[in-house]
Amino acid sequence: MTSEPLRPDDFLRLDERVALVTGAGQGVGARIARYLAASGARVVVNDYFADRAAEVAQSIVDAGGEAIALACDVSDFASVSSMLAQAEHELGPVSILVNNAGNAGARGTFDSMAIPFWESDPSDWQPFLDVNLTGVMNCCRAAMPAMVRGGHGRIITIVSDAGRVGEPSLPVYAAAKAGAAGFMRSIAKAGGRHLVTANCVSLSTIRDSDAAADPEKDARHLRDYTIRRFGTPDDAAGVVLLLASESGSWITGQTIPVNGGYSSAL
Ligand SMILES: NC(=O)c1ccc[n+]([C@@H]2O[C@H](COP(=O)([O-])OP(=O)(O)OC[C@H]3O[C@@H](n4cnc5c(N)ncnc54)[C@H](O)[C@@H]3O)[C@@H](O)[C@H]2O)c1
């Protein structure tokens, strides 16, 4: 019987690890970056928008953590490769990759595909695939060599219940997210013997604040949730931290729903 003191938080420590969180300039990604930094990781805050990334990185530094901001578009492989090289130069090799950058609409909105799929133009589809699927592949391709070399890696991709159960207004986004989850299962199988894990966290509706944009519509929507509230960035970040930590070292190839018991996705 061990006489070591009980300190469960040790199992979530990420000291000396370098973590990259994409699309971390706001929302879920910003909260994930903060959780990882709070657990001791040196965090690379990525976003397409440099000012957003800089603000989040500064807020982490102001709170006593270690973070730098590196802006780039994850859908561009050359930029992603340069970002990984710069991250390694400034902080060390990235061994935790959180593919959070995502976009439910070509212009960053959630309703730009609010016409039926059969009326959409094929040129509308590509932006969804570029960020939500190709972006994940780009980041894995650029980050994995260092993980394999170092014999340690955690890859966590944020997907959507739209991809697990379908979403009529977002069919291409849903397909891209389902594709990313499928890709991660193969990466898990390829990475396992190098001690690189690969998992997805699948979210339903996340709100940054309790402010209801349309209370009646929200109330209807919430009937589908066993736990009658929308999710928060904290709900997502806690699970990501677990998967990134030593406690997550035997979880791989999984898609973990974080969705308040969303009924169409149970
Ligand atoms: N919010 C939800 O209800 C919800 C539900 C299911 C899944 N998700 C997924 O969770 C993740 C985070 O969602 P969120 O609500 O925080 O999104 P958000 O739109 O608030 O933030 C996403 C961030 O990603 C950045 N980004 C977009 N495209 C990028 C690119 N090509 N390269 C780099 N950065 C880019 C944006 O600039 C933005 O700062 C996304 O993958 C999203 O698809 C969100």
Side-chain angles (χ1 to χ4, degrees), residues 7-32:
R7 289 170 44 177
D9 56 319
D10 283 354
F11 299 105
L12 296 175
R13 292 303 305 171
L14 302 173
D15 304 287
E16 308 303 321
R17 300 282 184 213
V18 178
L20 164 64
V21 186
T22 67
Q26 65 178 34
V28 171
R31 189 45 60 111
I32 292 169

Side-chain angles (χ1 to χ4, degrees), residues 109-132:
T109 66
F110 277 72
D111 58 5
S112 68
M113 288 286 279
I115 51 168
F117 177 72
W118 51 92
E119 290 175 14
S120 69
D121 190 295
S123 65
D124 288 339
W125 306 342
Q126 199 57 43
F128 296 83
L129 301 169
D130 286 347
V131 181
N132 298 295

Side-chain angles (χ1 to χ4, degrees), residues 173-184:
Y173 169 76
K177 290 295 196 185
F183 171 71
M184 291 292 283

